[in-house]
Amino acid sequence: MRKAAGGAMRQAGVLAAAALHALDHHVERLAEDHRLARLLYEGVCDRPGVRAEAPQTNIVFLDLVDRGEDTARALQQHLQERGVLVSMLYGRLRLVTHRDVDEAGALRALDALREFLRR
């Protein structure tokens, strides 16, 4: 769990360089990333069997209530087959918007989420 949260990083300088570049060149993009995360959240937060954490930044966490980790893995696979990559830790899905995710991509992810949740 510590490593998944970023602990034990030996090459922190590489990440620091990326962060500095983002601060110098992409700060104005953050508002768009946050808006797209909110769009994802609002698109699934009222679905039965889904507990979504309201995003504070560009990250949305999803839990599939009473469905188990196997179902979460199936959702992760379903999304990947549709070109949407999400990470998962202990059955909790993590969706992140960033400069390579435009509104069309966020809507595609939302459609794929809804398609799976209708099952």
Side-chain angles (χ1 to χ4, degrees):
M1 180 65 125
R2 177 176 53 88
K3 287 183 181 181
M9 293 189 328
R10 290 187 220 165
Q11 301 299 324
V14 173
L15 292 177
L20 288 173
H21 178 81
L23 288 172
D24 289 342
H25 301 284
H26 301 291
V27 170
E28 59 281 344
R29 171 63 201 202
L30 290 175
E32 178 67 3
D33 295 338
H34 295 187
R35 183 184 75 78
L36 293 176
R38 175 64 63 176
L39 181 138
L40 289 171
Y41 165 75
E42 290 174 355
V44 296
C45 69
D46 62 346
R47 300 290 170 164
V50 175
R51 183 175 45 240
E53 194 173 305
Q56 301 296 313
T57 61
N58 64 326
I59 301 172
V60 179
F61 291 102
L62 296 179
D63 294 297
L64 300 179
V65 180
D66 299 326
R67 296 199 194 186
E69 196 168 329
D70 288 342
T71 304
R73 278 195 188 97
L75 173 54
Q76 185 181 32
Q77 181 66 35
H78 174 84
L79 293 172
Q80 184 175 349
E81 290 167 359
R82 286 150 184 79
V84 179
L85 301 178
V86 300
S87 60
M88 185 176 66
L89 183 63
Y90 303 118
R92 180 171 239 213
L93 296 159
R94 180 175 166 257
L95 295 85
V96 180
T97 57
H98 50 81
R99 69 185 196 105
D100 293 328
V101 177
D102 59 9
E103 185 164 349
L107 291 172
R108 187 176 74 244
L110 186 55
D111 287 344
L113 280 163
R114 289 176 174 166
E115 177 186 11
F116 183 89
L117 295 171
R118 278 194 294 267
R119 294 180 181 179

